[in-house]
Amino acid sequence: MTPSVCIGPLDLGPFPLLLAPMEDVSDPPFRAVCKQGGADLMYTEFISSEGLVRDAIKSRQKLDIYDDERPMGIQIFGGELEPMLGAVDKVAEVNPDLIDLNFGCPVKNVVCKDAGSGMLRNLPKLIQITAELVKRSPKPLTVKTRLGWDDQSKHIVYLAEALQDIGVAAIAIHGRTRVQMYKGEADWTLIGEVKANQRMHIPIFGNGDINSPSKAALYRERYGVDGLMIGRAAIGYPWIFREIKHYLQTGQTLDPPTVAERLAACREHLERSLVWKGPKLGLLEMRRHYAPYFKGFDHIKEIRSQLVQSMDPDEVRDLLSLIESQYTNATGGAEISV
Ligand SMILES: Cc1cc2nc3c(=O)[nH]c(=O)nc-3n(C[C@H](O)[C@H](O)[C@H](O)COP(=O)(O)O)c2cc1C
Protein backbone atom coordinates (compact mmCIF):
# COMPACT_ATOMS: atom_id res chain seq x y z
CA MET A 1 0.00 0.00 0.00
CA THR A 2 1.21 3.51 -0.77
CA PRO A 3 2.19 5.24 2.49
CA SER A 4 0.63 8.50 3.58
CA VAL A 5 2.43 11.72 2.73
CA CYS A 6 2.92 13.93 5.78
CA ILE A 7 3.90 17.58 5.95
CA GLY A 8 5.03 17.79 9.56
CA PRO A 9 2.04 16.55 11.56
CA LEU A 10 -0.34 17.01 8.63
CA ASP A 11 -1.32 13.66 7.09
CA LEU A 12 -2.45 14.08 3.47
CA GLY A 13 -3.02 10.41 2.69
CA PRO A 14 -1.27 8.55 -0.12
CA PHE A 15 -0.16 10.50 -3.19
CA PRO A 16 -2.05 13.75 -2.53
CA LEU A 17 -3.27 16.06 -5.26
CA LEU A 18 -2.77 19.73 -4.47
CA LEU A 19 -4.61 22.69 -5.89
CA ALA A 20 -1.92 25.21 -6.89
CA PRO A 21 -2.05 28.75 -5.55
CA MET A 22 -3.29 31.02 -8.33
CA GLU A 23 -3.68 34.77 -8.03
CA ASP A 24 -7.24 35.93 -8.87
CA VAL A 25 -8.31 32.30 -9.24
CA SER A 26 -7.85 30.23 -6.09
CA ASP A 27 -10.19 32.25 -3.90
CA PRO A 28 -12.76 30.63 -1.58
CA PRO A 29 -15.46 30.21 -4.30
CA PHE A 30 -13.06 28.35 -6.58
CA ARG A 31 -11.60 26.36 -3.70
CA ALA A 32 -15.10 25.22 -2.73
CA VAL A 33 -15.65 23.54 -6.10
CA CYS A 34 -12.12 22.10 -6.14
CA LYS A 35 -12.63 20.63 -2.69
CA GLN A 36 -15.75 18.90 -3.97
CA GLY A 37 -13.69 17.79 -6.98
CA GLY A 38 -11.27 15.97 -4.69
CA ALA A 39 -8.31 18.30 -3.99
CA ASP A 40 -6.38 17.04 -0.94
CA LEU A 41 -4.61 20.27 -0.04
CA MET A 42 -5.34 23.78 -1.26
CA TYR A 43 -3.58 27.11 -1.05
CA THR A 44 -4.68 30.70 -1.01
CA GLU A 45 -3.58 33.05 -3.75
CA PHE A 46 -0.20 34.53 -2.92
CA ILE A 47 -0.33 37.34 -0.39
CA SER A 48 2.10 40.23 -0.18
CA SER A 49 4.03 40.24 3.10
CA GLU A 50 4.26 44.00 2.96
CA GLY A 51 0.52 44.23 2.33
CA LEU A 52 -0.18 42.05 5.33
CA VAL A 53 2.06 44.06 7.58
CA ARG A 54 0.39 47.27 6.38
CA ASP A 55 -2.97 45.60 6.92
CA ALA A 56 -3.99 46.33 3.33
CA ILE A 57 -7.58 45.21 2.73
CA LYS A 58 -6.74 43.16 -0.37
CA SER A 59 -4.06 41.20 1.48
CA ARG A 60 -6.14 40.74 4.62
CA GLN A 61 -9.13 39.43 2.68
CA LYS A 62 -6.99 36.68 1.18
CA LEU A 63 -6.36 35.36 4.67
CA ASP A 64 -9.95 34.14 4.97
CA ILE A 65 -9.96 30.38 5.12
CA TYR A 66 -12.78 28.10 6.25
CA ASP A 67 -12.86 24.88 8.22
CA ASP A 68 -14.55 22.93 5.44
CA GLU A 69 -11.63 23.75 3.12
CA ARG A 70 -8.96 22.23 5.34
CA PRO A 71 -6.21 21.32 4.99
CA MET A 72 -5.30 24.80 3.79
CA GLY A 73 -2.00 26.48 3.12
CA ILE A 74 -1.60 30.24 3.11
CA GLN A 75 1.03 31.48 0.68
CA ILE A 76 3.03 34.65 1.19
CA PHE A 77 5.66 36.38 -0.89
CA GLY A 78 8.24 38.98 -0.11
CA GLY A 79 11.87 39.91 -0.56
CA GLU A 80 12.90 41.16 2.86
CA LEU A 81 13.07 39.44 6.20
CA GLU A 82 11.29 41.92 8.47
CA PRO A 83 7.97 42.15 6.60
CA MET A 84 8.05 38.42 6.02
CA LEU A 85 8.45 37.77 9.74
CA GLY A 86 5.54 40.11 10.39
CA ALA A 87 3.51 38.34 7.71
CA VAL A 88 4.15 34.94 9.26
CA ASP A 89 2.84 36.27 12.58
CA LYS A 90 -0.31 37.62 10.91
CA VAL A 91 -0.87 34.42 8.95
CA ALA A 92 -0.42 32.29 12.06
CA GLU A 93 -3.29 34.17 13.73
CA VAL A 94 -5.80 32.60 11.31
CA ASN A 95 -4.42 29.13 12.01
CA PRO A 96 -3.74 27.63 8.57
CA ASP A 97 -2.49 24.05 8.31
CA LEU A 98 0.73 25.30 6.78
CA ILE A 99 2.46 28.46 5.61
CA ASP A 100 3.96 28.47 2.13
CA LEU A 101 6.65 30.76 0.75
CA ASN A 102 6.42 31.77 -2.88
CA PHE A 103 9.84 31.69 -4.53
CA GLY A 104 8.40 31.03 -7.97
CA CYS A 105 6.29 33.97 -9.15
CA PRO A 106 7.86 35.28 -12.38
CA VAL A 107 5.88 38.54 -12.62
CA LYS A 108 8.05 41.62 -13.14
CA ASN A 109 6.70 43.82 -10.34
CA VAL A 110 7.19 40.96 -7.85
CA VAL A 111 10.62 39.93 -9.12
CA CYS A 112 11.93 43.50 -9.12
CA LYS A 113 11.47 43.56 -5.34
CA ASP A 114 13.53 40.36 -5.07
CA ALA A 115 10.34 38.50 -4.19
CA GLY A 116 8.89 35.39 -5.87
CA SER A 117 11.36 33.88 -8.30
CA GLY A 118 13.46 37.06 -7.93
CA MET A 119 14.90 35.39 -4.85
CA LEU A 120 16.33 32.64 -7.07
CA ARG A 121 19.04 35.13 -8.09
CA ASN A 122 20.34 35.17 -4.55
CA LEU A 123 20.18 31.73 -3.00
CA PRO A 124 22.16 32.58 0.17
CA LYS A 125 19.59 35.30 0.95
CA LEU A 126 16.70 32.98 0.12
CA ILE A 127 18.06 30.32 2.45
CA GLN A 128 18.88 32.77 5.24
CA ILE A 129 15.43 34.36 5.19
CA THR A 130 13.71 30.99 5.01
CA ALA A 131 15.70 29.70 8.00
CA GLU A 132 14.46 32.63 10.09
CA LEU A 133 10.88 32.11 8.93
CA VAL A 134 11.03 28.40 9.79
CA LYS A 135 12.07 29.37 13.32
CA ARG A 136 9.27 31.90 13.57
CA SER A 137 6.44 29.83 12.09
CA PRO A 138 4.27 27.84 14.51
CA LYS A 139 3.03 25.83 11.51
CA PRO A 140 4.93 23.69 9.00
CA LEU A 141 6.68 26.00 6.57
CA THR A 142 6.77 24.91 2.93
CA VAL A 143 8.23 26.39 -0.24
CA LYS A 144 6.96 26.61 -3.81
CA THR A 145 9.60 27.41 -6.37
CA ARG A 146 10.95 26.86 -9.87
CA LEU A 147 13.97 25.04 -11.29
CA GLY A 148 16.08 28.19 -11.12
CA TRP A 149 16.30 31.68 -12.54
CA ASP A 150 17.41 30.72 -16.05
CA ASP A 151 18.93 27.85 -17.99
CA GLN A 152 22.36 28.62 -16.55
CA SER A 153 21.18 28.53 -12.94
CA LYS A 154 18.94 25.53 -12.46
CA HIS A 155 20.08 24.94 -8.89
CA ILE A 156 16.97 23.20 -7.62
CA VAL A 157 18.73 19.97 -6.55
CA TYR A 158 21.08 21.95 -4.32
CA LEU A 159 18.36 24.33 -3.15
CA ALA A 160 15.93 21.56 -2.19
CA GLU A 161 18.54 19.94 0.01
CA ALA A 162 19.49 23.24 1.61
CA LEU A 163 15.83 24.03 2.34
CA GLN A 164 15.29 20.62 3.88
CA ASP A 165 18.37 21.12 6.08
CA ILE A 166 16.98 24.33 7.56
CA GLY A 167 13.64 22.74 8.39
CA VAL A 168 11.36 23.34 5.40
CA ALA A 169 8.63 20.71 5.62
CA ALA A 170 7.83 20.17 1.91
CA ILE A 171 8.67 21.67 -1.48
CA ALA A 172 6.52 22.08 -4.58
CA ILE A 173 8.57 22.50 -7.74
CA HIS A 174 7.28 23.99 -10.99
CA GLY A 175 9.36 22.55 -13.82
CA ARG A 176 10.23 25.83 -15.47
CA THR A 177 12.76 28.60 -14.87
CA ARG A 178 11.77 32.19 -14.19
CA VAL A 179 13.00 33.22 -17.63
CA GLN A 180 10.67 30.66 -19.22
CA MET A 181 7.69 32.24 -17.47
CA TYR A 182 4.92 29.87 -18.69
CA LYS A 183 6.40 29.18 -22.11
CA GLY A 184 7.34 25.81 -23.54
CA GLU A 185 6.74 22.55 -21.77
CA ALA A 186 7.54 22.04 -18.11
CA ASP A 187 10.66 19.91 -17.71
CA TRP A 188 10.36 17.50 -14.80
CA THR A 189 13.82 15.94 -15.17
CA LEU A 190 15.32 17.95 -12.32
CA ILE A 191 12.25 17.37 -10.17
CA GLY A 192 13.02 13.67 -10.62
CA GLU A 193 16.63 14.35 -9.64
CA VAL A 194 15.53 16.09 -6.45
CA LYS A 195 13.47 13.00 -5.59
CA ALA A 196 16.33 10.67 -6.50
CA ASN A 197 18.67 12.45 -4.07
CA GLN A 198 19.17 9.91 -1.29
CA ARG A 199 19.38 12.67 1.32
CA MET A 200 15.91 14.00 0.61
CA HIS A 201 13.14 12.84 2.87
CA ILE A 202 10.58 15.68 2.92
CA PRO A 203 7.67 15.49 0.45
CA ILE A 204 8.39 16.80 -3.04
CA PHE A 205 5.40 17.80 -5.15
CA GLY A 206 5.76 18.07 -8.90
CA ASN A 207 4.05 20.91 -10.71
CA GLY A 208 3.68 21.99 -14.30
CA ASP A 209 1.37 20.99 -17.14
CA ILE A 210 -0.46 18.10 -15.46
CA ASN A 211 -3.72 18.09 -17.38
CA SER A 212 -4.93 14.50 -17.61
CA PRO A 213 -5.08 11.30 -15.58
CA SER A 214 -2.73 9.49 -17.94
CA LYS A 215 -0.11 12.25 -17.71
CA ALA A 216 -0.45 12.23 -13.92
CA ALA A 217 0.16 8.49 -13.84
CA LEU A 218 3.10 8.71 -16.22
CA TYR A 219 4.80 11.54 -14.31
CA ARG A 220 4.23 9.86 -10.97
CA GLU A 221 5.91 6.75 -12.30
CA ARG A 222 8.68 8.52 -14.17
CA TYR A 223 9.70 11.15 -11.62
CA GLY A 224 8.78 9.46 -8.32
CA VAL A 225 7.21 12.57 -6.77
CA ASP A 226 5.18 12.35 -3.56
CA GLY A 227 2.15 14.11 -5.03
CA LEU A 228 1.09 16.49 -7.77
CA MET A 229 0.19 20.13 -7.70
CA ILE A 230 -2.34 21.13 -10.33
CA GLY A 231 -3.17 24.65 -11.42
CA ARG A 232 -4.56 25.60 -14.80
CA ALA A 233 -6.14 22.23 -15.53
CA ALA A 234 -8.46 22.73 -12.55
CA ILE A 235 -9.80 26.04 -13.85
CA GLY A 236 -13.37 25.30 -14.95
CA TYR A 237 -12.61 21.61 -14.50
CA PRO A 238 -12.46 20.78 -10.78
CA TRP A 239 -13.19 17.13 -11.64
CA ILE A 240 -9.54 16.73 -12.65
CA PHE A 241 -8.71 15.67 -9.08
CA ARG A 242 -11.23 12.83 -8.83
CA GLU A 243 -10.45 11.72 -12.38
CA ILE A 244 -6.74 11.43 -11.61
CA LYS A 245 -7.41 9.64 -8.32
CA HIS A 246 -9.73 7.14 -9.96
CA TYR A 247 -7.26 6.46 -12.75
CA LEU A 248 -4.37 5.98 -10.35
CA GLN A 249 -6.41 3.58 -8.25
CA THR A 250 -8.06 1.54 -11.00
CA GLY A 251 -6.35 2.30 -14.30
CA GLN A 252 -9.82 3.20 -15.61
CA THR A 253 -10.98 6.54 -16.94
CA LEU A 254 -14.01 8.03 -15.21
CA ASP A 255 -16.87 9.27 -17.34
CA PRO A 256 -16.58 13.01 -17.77
CA PRO A 257 -18.95 15.21 -15.77
CA THR A 258 -22.48 15.44 -17.16
CA VAL A 259 -24.03 18.68 -18.32
CA ALA A 260 -25.95 18.77 -15.04
CA GLU A 261 -22.74 18.41 -13.02
CA ARG A 262 -20.99 21.09 -15.03
CA LEU A 263 -23.86 23.48 -14.57
CA ALA A 264 -24.16 22.73 -10.87
CA ALA A 265 -20.46 23.44 -10.31
CA CYS A 266 -20.53 26.58 -12.43
CA ARG A 267 -23.64 27.88 -10.68
CA GLU A 268 -22.22 27.19 -7.25
CA HIS A 269 -18.98 28.88 -8.23
CA LEU A 270 -20.85 31.89 -9.60
CA GLU A 271 -23.13 32.34 -6.60
CA ARG A 272 -20.23 32.05 -4.17
CA SER A 273 -18.23 34.52 -6.28
CA LEU A 274 -21.04 37.07 -6.24
CA VAL A 275 -21.24 36.85 -2.47
CA TRP A 276 -17.49 36.79 -1.94
CA LYS A 277 -16.41 39.56 -4.32
CA GLY A 278 -19.62 41.45 -4.88
CA PRO A 279 -21.52 41.54 -8.19
CA LYS A 280 -18.99 43.45 -10.28
CA LEU A 281 -15.74 41.68 -9.43
CA GLY A 282 -17.61 38.43 -8.85
CA LEU A 283 -18.83 38.47 -12.46
CA LEU A 284 -15.53 39.68 -13.88
CA GLU A 285 -13.50 36.98 -12.19
CA MET A 286 -15.91 34.25 -13.31
CA ARG A 287 -15.23 35.06 -16.95
CA ARG A 288 -12.12 32.95 -17.30
CA HIS A 289 -14.01 29.92 -16.00
CA TYR A 290 -16.88 29.64 -18.49
CA ALA A 291 -14.90 28.35 -21.47
CA PRO A 292 -13.47 25.38 -19.57
CA TYR A 293 -16.75 24.68 -17.73
CA PHE A 294 -18.47 24.31 -21.10
CA LYS A 295 -15.60 22.99 -23.18
CA GLY A 296 -16.77 20.62 -25.87
CA PHE A 297 -20.33 21.97 -26.01
CA ASP A 298 -21.26 22.28 -29.67
CA HIS A 299 -22.19 25.78 -30.87
CA ILE A 300 -21.67 27.29 -27.40
CA LYS A 301 -19.66 30.24 -28.72
CA GLU A 302 -22.54 32.68 -28.90
CA ILE A 303 -23.84 32.02 -25.37
CA ARG A 304 -20.29 32.02 -24.05
CA SER A 305 -19.55 35.42 -25.50
CA GLN A 306 -22.71 36.75 -23.86
CA LEU A 307 -21.60 35.19 -20.57
CA VAL A 308 -18.27 36.96 -20.67
CA GLN A 309 -19.79 40.31 -21.57
CA SER A 310 -22.67 40.45 -19.16
CA MET A 311 -22.46 42.63 -16.07
CA ASP A 312 -25.85 41.52 -14.77
CA PRO A 313 -25.99 38.50 -12.43
CA ASP A 314 -29.59 37.69 -13.43
CA GLU A 315 -28.70 37.72 -17.10
CA VAL A 316 -25.82 35.32 -16.39
CA ARG A 317 -28.17 33.05 -14.44
CA ASP A 318 -30.60 33.10 -17.39
CA LEU A 319 -27.79 32.23 -19.79
CA LEU A 320 -26.85 29.25 -17.63
CA SER A 321 -30.49 28.13 -17.71
CA LEU A 322 -30.42 28.49 -21.48
CA ILE A 323 -27.37 26.22 -21.61
CA GLU A 324 -29.21 23.77 -19.40
CA SER A 325 -32.27 23.67 -21.64
CA GLN A 326 -30.26 23.45 -24.85
CA TYR A 327 -27.70 20.86 -23.82
CA THR A 328 -29.53 18.53 -21.47
CA ASN A 329 -31.62 15.84 -23.10
CA ALA A 330 -34.86 14.41 -21.73
CA THR A 331 -33.07 11.80 -19.62
CA GLY A 332 -30.72 14.31 -18.07
CA GLY A 333 -27.69 13.01 -19.94
CA ALA A 334 -25.11 15.11 -21.69
CA GLU A 335 -25.38 16.08 -25.30
CA ILE A 336 -21.89 17.26 -25.78
CA SER A 337 -19.07 16.15 -27.95
CA VAL A 338 -15.69 16.54 -26.33
C1 LIG B 1 -3.58 32.76 -13.20
C2 LIG B 1 -2.40 32.17 -12.45
C3 LIG B 1 -2.08 32.71 -11.21
C4 LIG B 1 -1.01 32.18 -10.48
N1 LIG B 1 -0.75 32.66 -9.23
C5 LIG B 1 0.18 32.03 -8.46
C6 LIG B 1 0.34 32.37 -7.09
O1 LIG B 1 -0.37 33.23 -6.55
N2 LIG B 1 1.29 31.71 -6.38
C7 LIG B 1 2.08 30.73 -6.94
O2 LIG B 1 2.93 30.15 -6.26
N3 LIG B 1 1.94 30.39 -8.23
C8 LIG B 1 0.99 30.98 -8.99
N4 LIG B 1 0.79 30.56 -10.26
C9 LIG B 1 1.55 29.42 -10.77
C10 LIG B 1 0.79 28.10 -10.50
O3 LIG B 1 0.67 27.87 -9.12
C11 LIG B 1 1.52 26.91 -11.14
O4 LIG B 1 2.82 26.83 -10.60
C12 LIG B 1 1.63 27.04 -12.66
O5 LIG B 1 0.40 27.44 -13.23
C13 LIG B 1 2.05 25.70 -13.28
O6 LIG B 1 1.14 24.68 -12.96
P1 LIG B 1 -0.01 24.20 -13.99
O7 LIG B 1 0.68 23.84 -15.28
O8 LIG B 1 -0.63 23.01 -13.31
O9 LIG B 1 -0.94 25.34 -14.16
C14 LIG B 1 -0.24 31.09 -11.02
C15 LIG B 1 -0.57 30.60 -12.27
C16 LIG B 1 -1.65 31.11 -12.97
C17 LIG B 1 -1.99 30.51 -14.32
Side-chain angles (χ1 to χ4, degrees):
M1 228 183 76
T2 318
S4 269
V5 172
C6 295
I7 301 182
L10 184 65
D11 185 338
L12 297 174
F15 203 70
L17 302 179
L18 285 49
L19 172 66
M22 286 184 283
E23 161 84 335
D24 291 336
V25 176
S26 51
D27 53 10
F30 179 64
R31 299 198 301 256
V33 291
C34 287
K35 184 77 183 176
Q36 288 162 26
D40 296 305
L41 168 65
M42 304 190 293
Y43 296 80
T44 60
E45 309 161 64
F46 70 175
I47 313 179
S48 157
S49 300
E50 288 177 7
L52 277 180
V53 172
R54 272 190 280 113
D55 215 21
I57 294 172
K58 191 175 174 212
S59 304
R60 209 179 51 218
Q61 198 192 28
K62 289 182 183 172
L63 283 181
D64 286 345
I65 55 171
Y66 300 93
D67 276 342
D68 55 8
E69 309 184 284
R70 288 185 186 278
M72 270 300 301
I74 293 183
Q75 190 190 63
I76 58 170
F77 69 95
E80 297 304 328
L81 179 60
E82 279 310 315
M84 292 187 89
L85 284 169
V88 163
D89 293 344
K90 293 245 175 194
V91 169
E93 283 170 19
V94 304
N95 195 28
D97 297 280
L98 59 85
I99 299 177
D100 188 67
L101 304 181
N102 177 321
F103 294 136
C105 178
V107 173
K108 228 184 205 162
N109 61 5
V110 170
V111 165
C112 70
K113 293 183 189 141
D114 282 348
S117 62
M119 199 72 101
L120 292 172
R121 292 173 298 191
N122 189 346
L123 296 189
K125 181 178 174 189
L126 184 161
I127 292 164
Q128 198 183 7
I129 285 184
T130 305
E132 293 305 316
L133 298 174
V134 168
K135 284 187 224 151
R136 184 71 151 244
S137 175
K139 296 287 173 183
L141 195 97
T142 62
V143 163
K144 178 169 180 282
T145 188
R146 291 184 174 230
L147 303 177
W149 175 259
D150 60 13
D151 269 356
Q152 285 68 51
S153 57
K154 293 184 187 169
H155 298 308
I156 190 62
V157 174
Y158 158 77
L159 178 62
E161 207 176 307
L163 291 173
Q164 175 178 274
D165 288 348
I166 57 169
V168 166
I171 307 173
I173 306 169
H174 177 186
R176 289 185 174 87
T177 61
R178 187 276 168 178
V179 166
Q180 275 178 288
M181 306 291 282
Y182 290 91
K183 288 196 283 281
E185 221 191 313
D187 178 3
W188 283 49
T189 317
L190 288 175
I191 303 176
E193 280 187 33
V194 171
K195 265 311 293 177
N197 177 351
Q198 300 283 320
R199 280 204 68 239
M200 293 303 292
H201 55 80
I202 59 171
I204 300 298
F205 302 113
N207 171 239
D209 299 351
I210 296 295
N211 57 8
S212 70
S214 54
K215 190 164 185 181
L218 180 69
Y219 277 35
R220 175 193 190 175
E221 175 72 23
R222 190 179 285 170
Y223 301 107
V225 289
D226 298 290
L228 302 172
M229 178 182 270
I230 297 166
R232 289 166 293 178
I235 299 179
Y237 203 82
W239 303 277
I240 185 84
F241 300 101
R242 74 170 190 202
E243 288 184 358
I244 291 176
K245 275 186 193 172
H246 186 81
Y247 188 83
L248 292 177
Q249 277 161 15
T250 66
Q252 309 286 317
T253 309
L254 268 183
D255 285 339
T258 62
V259 170
E261 284 177 298
R262 286 173 187 259
L263 275 158
C266 183
R267 282 182 169 132
E268 177 170 357
H269 192 168
L270 169 70
E271 296 305 332
R272 285 176 180 263
S273 250
L274 294 172
V275 173
W276 177 252
K277 302 244 158 147
K280 188 167 174 225
L281 203 55
L283 282 182
L284 286 175
E285 291 199 355
M286 275 304 289
R287 289 181 174 178
R288 71 166 81 215
H289 297 273
Y290 296 124
Y293 271 127
F294 303 118
K295 187 172 171 208
F297 285 43
D298 283 338
H299 314 300
I300 189 78
K301 219 167 147 196
E302 173 125 350
I303 304 181
R304 207 177 53 218
S305 72
Q306 291 176 48
L307 277 172
V308 298
Q309 284 172 49
S310 175
M311 282 314 293
D312 175 358
D314 282 333
E315 189 184 12
V316 169
R317 292 182 185 112
D318 288 345
L319 287 164
L320 294 179
S321 298
L322 184 63
I323 294 178
E324 184 166 35
S325 63
Q326 284 192 5
Y327 291 88
T328 308
N329 62 28
T331 57
E335 280 182 11
I336 55 171
S337 52
V338 182

Coordinates of all heavy atoms in Angstrom, one line a residue, residues 49 128 308 325:
S49 N 3.6 40.1 1.7 CA 4.0 40.2 3.1 C 3.9 41.7 3.5 O 3.4 42.0 4.6 CB 5.5 39.8 3.3 OG 5.7 38.5 3.0
Q128 N 18.8 32.1 3.9 CA 18.9 32.8 5.2 C 17.5 33.2 5.7 O 17.1 33.0 6.9 CB 19.8 34.0 5.1 CG 20.3 34.5 6.4 CD 21.2 35.7 6.1 OE1 21.3 36.2 5.0 NE2 21.8 36.2 7.2
V308 N -19.5 36.2 -21.1 CA -18.3 37.0 -20.7 C -18.4 38.5 -20.9 O -17.5 39.2 -20.6 CB -17.0 36.5 -21.4 CG1 -16.7 35.0 -21.0 CG2 -17.1 36.6 -22.9
S325 N -31.2 24.1 -20.8 CA -32.3 23.7 -21.6 C -31.8 23.2 -23.0 O -32.3 22.3 -23.6 CB -33.4 24.7 -21.8 OG -32.8 25.9 -22.4

